[in-house]
Amino acid sequence: MPTISPIGRSTPRVDGPLKVSGRAQYASDFHFPGTLYAVPVEATIASGRLVKLDTAAAQKMPGVRAILHRDNIGQIFRSVQGPGFEGIVDERRPPFEDDVVRYYGQYIALAVADTFECAKAAADAVRATYAKDKHNVDPDLQADDEPDVVATTFAPTKRVQSERGDAGSAFANAPVKLDQIYVTPTETHNPIELQATTAIWDDSMLTIYEESQGVFNLQGVLAQMFGLPKENVRVVTRFVGSGFGSKLWPWTHCALAVAAARQLRKPVKLVISRKMMFQTVGHRPRTQQRVRLGATTEGKLVSLQHDYVNHHSMLDNYHEDCGEATAFHYSVPNLRVTFGRARRNVGSPTPMRGPGAVPGLYATESAMNELADQLKIDPVRLRVLNEPKIDESLGIPFSSRHLLECFELGAEKFGWSKRTPEIGSMKRDGLTLGWGMAGCAWIAARFPAEANVQLRDDGTARVASGTQDIGTGTYTVLAQLASEKTGVPLDKIEVALGDTSLPEGPTSGGSMVTGSMVPAVFEAADKAIESLLTIATSGPGSPFQKRKPTDLAFEGGRVFVKADGPAGGVPFADVLRRANVRLVTGSGKSEATFGNPKPKFSTHSFGGHFVEVTWQPEIARLRVSRVVTVIDAGRILNPLAGRNQIEGAVVMGIGMALFEHTSYDRQSGAPINSNLADYVVAVNADVPPIDVHFVDFPDKEINALGARGIGEIGLAGIAAAITAAVHHATGVRVRELPVKIEHLLG
Ligand code: MOS
């Protein structure tokens, strides 16, 4: 039995052996007898109407079971949003609902065959005739005419997001002004695991194997789309090969697989292609953000205005919340944050790692860096000058904010004090160096969560919750939490996740799973122990027969009489065996703090990035050569997995700053670089040493352990730090991502 707490210890993934040995089953790894394969047919226009679908040749191909389309697929109902976190979908229109094509790649038919190859050949043989309209994929985003309150994926939202003082006149009268527009491109999530559904009907019971970041939301949506009671739908997601947000909410291919399985009475498997990953399962939308800062000559902010626009699809209401951190991040008496949107012929955007805050902080942190240069003061110093004491947007205290400690430690580890501010003034080994920095923030909150813990007569334990491990380490952290409370070593704990037949767990979104699970698992373990102590005092073979449960205690896996201390205790497995009880079980539940309209505290994680780039003007070679990132995310439960999350986010940030960019072809409206050769992401060769630190101040407002989330924050702010470093090295200010060599050759 461990005597050292597993909390806060670097713990390798408990599911690692399953993954490296190939035994971890991802959605498309489940095979069932008689499975048919489905391949969707993609629209090749971005706007218009489907006039005719010629399926004759496809239907006659060997092995083809059906070519399904609007006239023969059967009814697929519309889902609606429910209270709380139910029924969330970014693309609400059921597939094939009408003949209108609103974006390139929209599904217009589905080929189903005995093998994937037959289905693919048949899908390719379907001929579509269109009445084409003019599409709009214009990258210049001007806000559409919309009312002051608009629908979004979640709830009606005011377009004036936050306002205090009089930002306009304070700006007009400010001695120092900055007014710039920052642009972030469409970015596409590229998890290695393609999205996939395997659907099986057994009478009126539907089972889905899917790589979902939220099995319960998917269950609810499918129940509505197929007219079933929720309990007739089971969603299973054992492993996810990353999602980054693209697998949060249901997409249309899933409903197509379910409808095909219903009609053909066989299991149907549908794995979308990498190209489809760019078309039909979301993306981070393009944003255009105007930032206006007014300051005193000493660098105190007097006005901050952030007005931004994101593109969205023709039917849905996605809002990229670039103002997520703007209103509380700095102390400023006059502030106004507004948003608008522009409809384009694109598939619906969806959250991508750090939605809103990541493009938003790129803009506002870039503006702060430019202001620092304008004032000729150090960018860290400018931030210290404008550090708020409370959340000025809500007028409430922060639960725990240690941003300045992050800057202090980061500056020290990086050697920031050696920076000379003049452009191109720093050299090493014949290379020009650029040094830049930025801060970051990301929301911290809890979703509702339920868990179950069992203690078993062989000394093992089981912890179960219908949440998901999207590659972030949820299996491991749940084992750590259960081990902490039960004293059972990690290798004797079974963790069950990713199944709607388990207690309802949170969606793997918003970096909220760990923080949400702590209270639920702890309560479940306490209840299981309570039950154990009752058995210990009542079982015929028990050494504690004459005692009351309140006389007993449980610690490190042993039951003992409080008065006697743990030395005279008995392992819980013995207690269970003597009583002939296989297991005791307890359930725990915790409430949401997310969406609380009257919070007492403003709860966020914070951090700082320090970046070095090297620049060789002779051959126009730019590299990120060094990154130091310090994060304030409360208590870190597993520093190994935690560091891994921040490193991954920094790698993605290098991609965001220098490479990633989905291009829509003006001719066809298609995302044209829809493959991993042309959509460039940061790879090993682009990644320098990344030095990650945590300041580790427990935040007791979020849960008993003080642990906030870490999945997304590392990507916030990093692009602003990189572009500042690029400016420091080259003198070129790039305000439209990604930084391209063309920008630097000017
Ligand atoms: Mo994250 S974008 O909430 O999966």
Side-chain angles (χ1 to χ4, degrees), residues 656-720:
M656 177 184 178
L658 303 183
F659 307 120
E660 293 197 40
H661 180 194
T662 306
S663 301
Y664 291 91
D665 180 13
R666 280 178 188 252
Q667 294 294 316
S668 67
I672 38 171
N673 54 340
S674 54
N675 58 73
L676 283 173
D678 296 319
Y679 184 90
V680 183
V681 298
V683 297
N684 284 359
D686 303 303
V687 176
I690 302 169
D691 187 16
V692 176
H693 299 271
F694 295 105
V695 288
D696 227 32
F697 292 93
D699 184 345
K700 292 291 166 113
E701 293 306 321
I702 193 114
N703 51 50
L705 293 178
R708 295 192 299 248
I710 43 171
E712 292 163 274
I713 182 156
L715 181 52
I718 178 86

Side-chain angles (χ1 to χ4, degrees), residues 184-195:
T184 64
T186 299
E187 286 183 274
T188 301
H189 324 66
N190 271 291
I192 289 304
E193 184 199 23
L194 300 166
Q195 302 219 21

Side-chain angles (χ1 to χ4, degrees), residues 115 133 168 352 367 528 619-620 656:
T115 66
D133 289 335
M352 179 169 169
I619 56 168
M656 177 184 178

